[in-house]
Amino acid sequence: MLSRRAIQWKVHYIEHALDAGQYALGVFFDIQGAFDNTPIVSVLKALSERKIIFAVRQWISTLLQQRKVCVQVGDLLLYVITKCSLPQGGGLSLLLWSLVADSLLKWLSKQGVFAQGFADDGVIIIVGKVLHILSDIMQRMLRGVEKWCTDRHLSVNPSKTETILFTKKYKPETIRPIYFYGKELAL
């Protein structure tokens, strides 16, 4: 569920483009199992990039690597030491995930596109007057998202990804196909 403020920023950005006679091409995506699948090495990399002091990084590493999960089914009691993931509902989990995801948003912003994240959801919006250029730029951004996910041992579920073209034109020009993880995204 998106926050009201996050939605307002997107709507404002899109309305501004439409008022200027431009297209706004958006791709909305979900990092698959972000909290369940985030490797500890990705969290530690994010902490290091933020220059978090070594003692705090070690404490967080120990906290994440030495967690025990206990499951009881009938008389059977099973203990498992976790290898990855952020604790569901953990007070630190959202902050740690935000630090990991922040590097993606920073990279996208440096590319000159509108990018926004909320928990494990993300959006990229590109504005301009020529659709084939917008689709080429979007394709390049999505390749960057794929690389970012690969580097962090994460992925995006293309079936949960939505592509939307915002326009005031009744019959816009044809847009080039956009692919994400080898799957053509429906417009």
Side-chain angles (χ1 to χ4, degrees):
M1 186 162 134
L2 293 174
S3 76
R4 178 179 295 166
R5 187 85 170 145
I7 293 171
Q8 288 173 334
W9 274 103
K10 280 188 276 303
V11 169
H12 173 74
Y13 189 75
I14 293 165
E15 285 177 342
H16 184 67
L18 296 177
D19 289 344
Q22 298 178 316
Y23 294 106
L25 178 62
V27 172
F28 300 77
F29 59 91
D30 175 81
I31 304 290
Q32 194 166 349
F35 293 93
D36 295 338
N37 297 324
T38 302
I40 295 165
V41 68
S42 295
V43 173
L44 295 177
K45 180 178 180 180
L47 293 170
S48 180
E49 288 170 352
R50 288 292 188 140
K51 299 183 180 7
I52 303 299
I53 61 172
F54 181 76
V56 173
R57 290 194 319 253
Q58 285 299 106
W59 177 76
I60 291 171
S61 175
T62 301
L63 173 76
L64 295 176
Q65 290 180 353
Q66 295 184 9
R67 285 185 304 125
K68 293 180 183 172
V69 177
C70 176
V71 178
Q72 183 173 0
V73 179
D75 292 336
L76 179 63
L77 196 59
L78 180 64
Y79 287 95
V80 177
I81 296 175
T82 62
K83 296 288 184 195
C84 70
S85 84
L86 301 170
Q88 287 290 331
L92 199 54
S93 297
L94 188 56
L95 172 65
L96 294 175
W97 167 250
S98 295
L99 290 174
V100 171
D102 188 57
S103 64
L104 174 62
L105 297 175
K106 280 184 177 179
W107 179 81
L108 288 166
S109 294
K110 285 180 183 176
Q111 306 309 305
V113 301
F114 178 89
Q116 190 177 65
F118 187 80
D120 60 351
D121 295 320
V123 62
I124 303 168
I125 300 174
I126 302 171
V127 300
K129 292 190 179 258
V130 183
L131 266 181
H132 75 272
I133 292 174
L134 293 181
S135 64
D136 289 347
I137 293 169
M138 184 62 78
Q139 187 64 72
R140 194 172 58 235
M141 295 304 103
L142 294 179
R143 276 194 226 105
V145 172
E146 288 178 28
K147 182 182 180 329
W148 179 88
C149 285
T150 299
D151 291 348
R152 284 153 186 81
H153 310 283
L154 296 165
S155 65
V156 171
N157 186 345
S159 66
K160 290 176 96 177
T161 300
E162 298 289 334
T163 306
I164 301 174
L165 177 64
F166 299 93
T167 181
K168 287 186 175 181
K169 294 183 179 181
Y170 179 68
K171 290 188 177 187
E173 59 190 89
T174 305
I175 190 168
R176 291 182 184 167
I178 299 171
Y179 295 89
F180 200 26
Y181 283 92
K183 179 183 175 196
E184 183 177 339
L185 297 177
L187 187 63

